[in-house]
Amino acid sequence: MLDIKVYVDADADVRILRRIVRDVRDRGRSLESVVNQYLTTVKPMHERYVEPSRRRADIIIPEGGHNEVAMALLIERIRAHLEEEKEYG
């Protein structure tokens, strides 16, 4: 409907650390199992499917969702689109 492709870029170190904390703390998994899954499944799938989508993105937001300037631009684009939809129907 909006026809805009957004890629939210987060540093690989941040991604793995978030996953480790979440899986160990919230899911009761061992560090070894999290690292093993990351290396055998998550990282290869990210490289194969997620990373290539970056080239097709209309907007790339660096620093994950913490880039306030990029987020403000995206929010404004969505607001403008919604206003347009209200106006034209």
Side-chain angles (χ1 to χ4, degrees):
M1 197 172 160
L2 189 57
D3 198 28
I4 188 168
K5 296 175 289 302
V6 178
Y7 185 93
V8 179
D9 192 21
D11 184 74
D13 293 339
V14 172
R15 291 194 313 262
I16 183 63
L17 289 173
R18 285 180 184 162
R19 175 176 283 275
I20 289 169
V21 169
R22 182 200 64 208
D23 285 4
V24 170
R25 182 189 62 212
D26 299 343
R27 298 180 176 169
R29 296 182 57 203
S30 70
L31 176 60
E32 184 179 338
S33 74
V34 176
V35 171
N36 183 53
Q37 180 191 35
Y38 182 82
L39 293 175
T40 60
T41 306
V42 176
K43 186 174 184 266
M45 293 299 109
H46 176 83
E47 291 169 350
R48 184 171 182 178
Y49 297 108
V50 177
E51 190 64 35
S53 70
R54 177 187 183 116
R55 290 190 295 274
R56 295 185 299 278
D58 298 311
I59 297 174
I60 298 171
I61 299 180
E63 302 170 33
H66 299 290
N67 185 319
E68 292 182 20
V69 172
M71 293 300 293
L73 289 169
L74 181 59
I75 290 166
E76 185 51 42
R77 174 66 179 103
I78 292 168
R79 277 194 184 121
H81 176 75
L82 292 173
E83 287 300 317
E84 213 174 88
E85 284 294 309
K86 266 198 243 179
E87 194 173 311
Y88 298 109

